[in-house]
Amino acid sequence: MALAQAIMTSLLDADLSGSELARDFEKSMGLFWQASHQQIYQELRKLADKGWLNKREVNQSGKPNKILYGMTQAGREALAQWVFGPTRIQPTKDELLLKLYNLSDDNAEHLVGEISQRREEVMQRLYLYEAIRRRHYDDPANLPVRHKGVYLALELGIHQGEQTLAWCDQALALLATVSGDSQPAR
Amino acid sequence: MALAQAIMTSLLDADLSGSELARDFEKSMGLFWQASHQQIYQELRKLADKGWLNKREVNQSGKPNKILYGMTQAGREALAQWVFGPTRIQPTKDELLLKLYNLSDDNAEHLVGEISQRREEVMQRLYLYEAIRRRHYDDPANLPVRHKGVYLALELGIHQGEQTLAWCDQALALLATVSGDSQPAR
DNA sequence: GCCGCGTATGCAAAAAATTGCATGAGAATC
DNA sequence: GATTCTCATGCAATTTTTTGCATACGCGGC
C-alpha cells in the first residue's frame, strides 16, 4: 500500500500537519491519490513510530495547536528505495459507467442529468489544473528535475479531463436520441 | 458499495457462475470495475441470500460442477432502483504518478522503463477495446437502448487509453532530457 | 456567559478488500 | 497408479478504508 509514500511525497518540500495534508490530498495530490483525514492521521503516527517522520507541536494563535510532521533522513531513503519497487494501479471505479450499462428508456433522462453534472465537475477541476500549469509549469523543459515529474502528472490529469469532457458531450448527444426522440407507444 | 450492482449488471443478459464472472471482471467490466474471485464468490452468496439472485448447480463433463447465478425479479427491480441513487467515483490510485513526483537523476532511467511498460499495457487493452468496438458497435445510433450505454462506456475507455498513450510519449520525451542528456559530473 | 462555528486531532466499530491458503474433481503426463 | 495441472469454489486472517462520532480550543455574536 502506498498511502505512506503519498504522504511522504507531500512532505518532501515542506513540513505539514495532518489537516494541511488532508487539504493537499483534496487538491493537487488528489489527482491520483485520495485519503480521508482519518487515514492520514493514523498513517502519520505509524510513520513517526517507524522513524520515517519526525513530529513537533506548534502553537498557533487563534487556532488549536497543530502537529507538524517532517521527513527524516531514514524516511527519505525509504522513499527513494520504494521508487524501484513494483508498481500497482488501482483503476477507477466509476458508478456512473456501471449505471450506463443499465441504460433504459426509464432512466435515460436521469442519466442525462448525471452526465451533465459530471461534465460540470470535470470542468471545474480542469480550470484548476490549467491555472496551476499556467502559473508554475510554463516552460517544462527547463524545470528542475523533480518538478518535471510533477508537471507530467498534471499533464495527464489535464489530458484526461479534456477527454472526459469530450466524452460527456458525445454521451449527451447519443442519449438525446433515447430520452428525447423516442416515440411513446400509442 | 457497488460490487453487488456490478455483478448484477453482468448477469442482466446471461446467467453466469462465479468463475465466469471473475473472468468477465478482468475483461469488459474491468474497464471501470475490478474484483477478485474471493470478493465475487462472497458477494454472490450474499445476493442469493437477499433473494436478488437465484442459484442452480450445473454438472459439467470434464470439469468440476459450477453454480450458475441468475437475476430474480426482485434483483432486477433493486438494480433499476439503484440507478437513481447517489453516484460515487473512486478515482484511480496510480503509484506510477506518485513515483514521478519523486523523479530524480537517480531514478529517471528506471521510470523511463516503467512508463514504457505502461505504454505497452495500455496499447494491449486498446487493441482489445477497439476490436470489440469494430465487431459490435459499428453503428451506435441504431443500437438497442441498453447497448448504447455499454457502447459509451467502451468509448470512454478507448478515448482515455489513446490519451494515455499520447501522454506516455510526452513523458518519455521529457524524461529523455533528464536521463540521457545530463552531463555526468567529472 | 452561553451558543454555535470552524479548525485540528483523534477513537472505535464496521465494512470492504487483499493475501494466503485449502479442497475436490477430472485430465493429462509419466 | 501416482503425480501434477487446471478449474471451480471457498475459508480465514489481516489490512485498509469508511462511517460515525468525540474532544478541545478559540472566535464571534448576542
Side-chain angles (χ1 to χ4, degrees), chain B residues 106-125:
Chain B
D106 287 340
N107 59 30
E109 209 173 328
H110 173 75
L111 288 175
V112 165
E114 290 219 33
I115 294 169
S116 307
Q117 196 186 319
R118 171 69 56 90
R119 195 182 190 288
E120 208 47 52
E121 291 162 10
V122 173
M123 186 110 78
Q124 298 251 332
R125 288 215 129 203

Side-chain angles (χ1 to χ4, degrees), chain A residues 6-25 29 40-41 44 53-56 58 66-71:
Chain A
I7 288 175
M8 289 199 287
T9 299
S10 291
L11 294 175
L12 276 176
D13 291 322
D15 293 2
L16 296 172
S17 71
S19 56
E20 287 162 346
L21 274 166
R23 262 175 260 128
D24 233 53
F25 270 72
M29 182 71 57
I40 291 167
Y41 282 116
L44 280 173
L53 297 182
N54 56 45
K55 55 197 284 187
R56 63 201 155 88
V58 172
K66 63 182 180 181
I67 300 168
L68 272 191
Y69 290 86
M71 293 286 278

Side-chain angles (χ1 to χ4, degrees), chain B residues 116-165:
Chain B
S116 307
Q117 196 186 319
R118 171 69 56 90
R119 195 182 190 288
E120 208 47 52
E121 291 162 10
V122 173
M123 186 110 78
Q124 298 251 332
R125 288 215 129 203
L126 214 43
Y127 278 139
L128 176 67
Y129 292 146
E130 275 170 352
I132 295 174
R133 178 166 62 180
R134 271 196 307 277
R135 214 174 314 139
H136 300 292
Y137 301 99
D138 231 9
D139 183 16
N142 290 320
L143 288 169
V145 184
R146 198 162 72 72
H147 286 206
K148 286 186 183 176
V150 179
Y151 163 75
L152 283 174
L154 186 65
E155 276 293 293
L156 183 59
I158 290 176
H159 286 3
Q160 293 211 335
E162 283 168 352
Q163 207 60 50
T164 305
L165 280 193

Side-chain angles (χ1 to χ4, degrees), chain B residues 49-63:
Chain B
D49 285 348
K50 263 197 192 169
W52 289 358
L53 298 181
N54 55 47
K55 56 197 285 189
R56 63 203 155 88
E57 205 166 341
V58 172
N59 284 53
Q60 301 188 108
S61 66
K63 286 182 196 174

Side-chain angles (χ1 to χ4, degrees), chain B residues 18-19 23 37-38 41 45 64 66-67 88 93:
Chain B
S19 55
R23 263 175 258 127
H37 81 262
Q38 289 92 334
Y41 282 115
R45 253 170 297 135
K66 63 182 179 180
I67 300 169
R88 292 190 306 174
K93 288 183 179 176

